[in-house]
Amino acid sequence: MQRFERNISILGRSKRTFDNYSRNVAALALHFGKVPTELDPEDIKDYLFELQKRSKTPSQSYFKHTVYGLRFLLKTEGLPYSYLHLPAIPKVKKLPTILSREEIWRMLQSAELLKHKLLIGLIYGCGLRCMEVRNIKLHTQDAAQ
């Protein structure tokens, strides 16, 4: 486990991502009673097919996390992706929803607190994501210095 946690920081994955990958790969290992790298690629293909059939949500995140977790496992073990014949998951390109000026104006009018109005204005005016606005740190500095 420590080996994977050390690799995770090297490969740029967050702890939460690592936890999701680990959980899904562990479920696969428990299902077969073997380490995934010891499985026949056909077994993994059948397992992934069953996951996809079971999924009722459009994002199919459990399926994706299982595939990405297996890829992460192969990468940490120094094995090629072709070792388990994992499917490619196409990236869906969606255009963002753009609110009209009228919709933004109504949001600003309905916000009661000044800080909410400021946040809405920053998000819209600067084109920031909610996460980016949440990470803004305000520092006060004395102008005389």
Side-chain angles (χ1 to χ4, degrees):
M1 186 70 162
Q2 280 187 338
R3 178 175 164 206
F4 286 122
E5 286 180 6
R6 187 178 65 243
N7 284 341
I8 201 158
S9 62
I10 294 169
L11 296 173
R13 303 286 189 272
S14 72
K15 178 161 177 23
R16 183 179 228 158
T17 300
F18 176 73
D19 290 344
N20 284 328
Y21 289 176
S22 300
R23 188 178 316 109
N24 294 1
V25 171
L28 182 133
L30 288 172
H31 177 78
F32 288 104
K34 290 183 181 179
V35 176
T37 53
E38 295 174 359
L39 291 170
D40 182 62
E42 277 302 309
D43 290 334
I44 291 183
K45 186 177 177 181
D46 292 341
Y47 180 81
L48 292 174
F49 179 74
E50 285 301 316
L51 280 184
Q52 213 165 20
K53 273 181 32 181
R54 239 188 303 159
S55 179
K56 296 194 183 348
T57 62
S59 70
Q60 299 181 342
S61 59
Y62 192 87
F63 173 81
K64 288 179 180 181
H65 279 124
T66 302
V67 172
Y68 295 148
L70 287 168
R71 286 183 187 168
F72 183 78
L73 174 67
L74 292 173
K75 194 171 199 172
T76 57
E77 294 296 318
L79 299 169
Y81 291 160
S82 60
Y83 183 81
L84 292 177
H85 306 288
L86 296 173
I89 298 177
K91 191 167 192 161
V92 178
K93 294 181 181 178
K94 297 186 301 184
L95 292 174
T97 302
I98 308 294
L99 299 176
S100 69
R101 288 182 185 207
E102 292 78 23
E103 290 170 319
I104 296 298
W105 183 250
R106 283 196 309 265
M107 284 177 67
L108 286 168
Q109 294 302 314
S110 65
E112 294 179 17
L113 298 176
L114 180 59
K115 74 176 182 179
H116 294 159
K117 290 180 182 193
L118 178 66
L119 291 173
I120 293 168
L122 276 171
I123 289 170
Y124 182 73
C126 299
L128 300 175
R129 296 179 182 97
C130 290
M131 182 74 147
E132 294 168 331
V133 172
R134 263 187 260 146
N135 291 330
I136 290 176
K137 305 283 186 237
L138 297 177
H139 299 284
T140 57
Q141 296 180 354
D142 188 4
Q145 289 182 347

